[in-house]
Amino acid sequence: MTTLMTTSATPPVTALTTLWFIVIAFLWTGYFVLEGFDFGVGALMPLLSRSDADRRQVLGTIGPVWDGNEVWLITAVGAMFAAFPAWYSRLLSGFYLPVFLVVAGLIVRGAGLEWRGKVSSRRERALCDAGIVTGSVLPAFLWGAIFGNLLYGTLLATVLGGALSLSVAVLHGAVFLALKTAGPVRRRARRAAVPAAACAVPVAVVALPAIPGGGAPAWTQGAALAAMAALAAGAALVWRRREGWAFTATATSIAAATAALFGTMWAAPLPGLTLAEASSAPYTLKVLTWIGLIALPGVIAYQAWTYWVFRKRVTGEVPALQAH
C-alpha cells in the first residue's frame, strides 16, 4: 500500500528578492534619518522660540529640505508595492488607522510649513504653528508604535516603540538645530538636547535590545547595541559643542536601529508571511531593478546637492519660510 503525501514547499528567496528587501530597508533608513530631524525641529519649535523671528529661524533650517525628505517615504512605500505586494497590502490594511493618521499629520504639517510665510495675522500663524507641531509629533510617535506592534503585537511594545521614535526624533532635531542655527536659538537647542537625551537614552536601553526577536540574524543584536552607544555618544557630543559629530552619532543610531528592525523582519516581514511569499514575480523584480538603477542614483545625487547648497547655518535674518 502506497501513501501519497503532498507538501507545500516554501518558495526560495532569490537574489533579486534579497536585493529589493535591502533597497527598501535603505529607503526606510533614509526616511527615518532625514525626516527624523524634521519631526524633531517641528516638535521643538515652540519650546525654542521666543519671538516670530526665532520661529522663522527654526523653520528655516528645514525649509529647503523637508519636502525632499518625504520623498524617501513615498519611494519606500512605492517599492514595497511593486516588489512585495503582499507585504504592502497586509501592512497598510492591518495598520490602516495609524497609517491614515500619519498621512493626515504629514498633510497638516506640510500645509502649515507652506502657508506660514504667506499669512500675515498672528492668529493664522498660530494655526500654522499648531499644525506644524501636531504634524511632527503625531507621525514621529506613530511610526515607532506601528513597528513596535508589528514586532510583538502588544500594547507595551506599541507604546514603547512610539516613545522611542518620538524621543529620538526630538533629540535628533535638537542636535540638528544646534548644528544649523546661530545665536540664542543655537544655545537653546544645545540645552534642549540634554533633557531630550535624558528621555531618549533610557527608553532606548529598554527598547532597542528587544528589537531582535527569535530567529533574527545574530548581527541584529550588535546593531541594536551600536544604536544605543551612538545615541549616548550623540548626547555627550552635543553637550561638548561638537554638533557635527553629535548629528553623525544620532543619525548613526537611527540607521543602526532601523537595520536591526529590518534584519529582524528578514525571515518574515509580517507574521505568517515569508519574504519569498510576499515577493513579486521574477520578471517584475528584473524590471524594477533596471528602473532603480536609472532613478535612484539621480534622486540621491539631487538631494545630496540640495543639502550641500543649504549647508550654512541659519541666522536670525530669515524673511520667511520657503520650501525651495
Side-chain angles (χ1 to χ4, degrees):
M1 184 179 192
T2 303
T3 302
L4 298 178
M5 299 180 63
T6 59
T7 60
S8 56
T10 302
V13 177
T14 66
L16 285 180
T17 302
T18 302
L19 171 65
W20 276 98
F21 182 82
I22 294 171
V23 169
I24 289 169
F26 169 75
L27 292 171
W28 276 103
T29 301
Y31 173 69
F32 286 142
V33 170
L34 299 177
E35 193 80 314
F37 68 73
D38 279 357
F39 291 149
V41 169
L44 288 168
M45 179 189 64
L47 302 177
L48 303 184
S49 304
R50 302 294 183 267
S51 64
D52 191 63
D54 287 350
R55 288 180 173 84
R56 291 199 304 270
Q57 184 181 3
V58 168
L59 296 178
T61 62
I62 62 173
V65 297
W66 69 267
D67 49 355
N69 293 343
E70 290 186 354
V71 172
W72 288 81
L73 173 63
I74 297 169
T75 309
V77 173
M80 288 176 66
F81 170 77
F84 301 99
W87 183 16
Y88 165 89
S89 61
R90 294 191 193 181
L91 177 65
L92 268 66
S93 61
F95 294 94
Y96 180 83
L97 180 58
V99 170
F100 171 80
L101 291 175
V102 166
V103 174
L106 294 177
I107 292 172
V108 169
R109 187 186 68 144
L113 287 167
E114 289 288 350
W115 281 100
R116 195 184 193 283
K118 300 175 175 64
V119 298
S120 55
S121 73
R122 182 176 298 179
R123 180 180 178 183
E124 289 173 324
R125 286 198 298 269
L127 287 174
C128 290
D129 291 347
I132 292 168
V133 174
T134 303
S136 298
V137 172
L138 192 63
F141 177 84
L142 286 175
W143 279 128
I146 289 170
F147 282 103
N149 187 277
L150 178 64
L151 287 180
Y152 294 103
T154 65
L155 178 61
L156 177 60
T158 302
V159 174
L160 194 60
L164 175 65
S165 60
L166 177 57
S167 59
V168 171
V170 171
L171 174 59
H172 196 39
V175 173
F176 180 75
L177 283 171
L179 175 65
K180 288 290 292 180
T181 58
V185 171
R186 181 188 181 190
R187 292 192 292 271
R188 293 183 205 126
R190 265 202 314 264
R191 289 197 295 266
V194 176
C199 294
V201 173
V203 174
V205 168
V206 175
L208 287 175
I211 290 179
W219 62 264
T220 57
Q221 189 66 50
L225 294 175
M228 285 191 299
L231 193 66
L237 285 165
V238 74
W239 179 252
R240 294 176 60 86
R241 303 186 180 186
R242 303 294 296 273
E243 292 95 347
W245 285 108
F247 183 76
T248 301
T250 54
T252 300
S253 176
I254 296 172
T258 308
L261 172 65
F262 277 86
T264 301
M265 293 192 296
W266 162 253
L270 289 174
L273 179 70
T274 66
L275 192 66
E277 292 168 342
S279 176
S280 291
Y283 179 76
T284 301
L285 295 180
K286 288 179 183 179
V287 173
L288 281 176
T289 302
W290 284 110
I291 295 173
L293 286 173
I294 296 170
L296 280 178
V299 171
I300 294 171
Y302 171 76
Q303 192 159 30
W305 175 80
T306 303
Y307 276 94
W308 174 255
V309 169
F310 294 99
R311 65 189 181 277
K312 294 183 179 179
R313 290 186 183 271
V314 178
T315 63
E317 294 86 21
V318 181
L321 174 68
Q322 298 293 335
H324 298 284

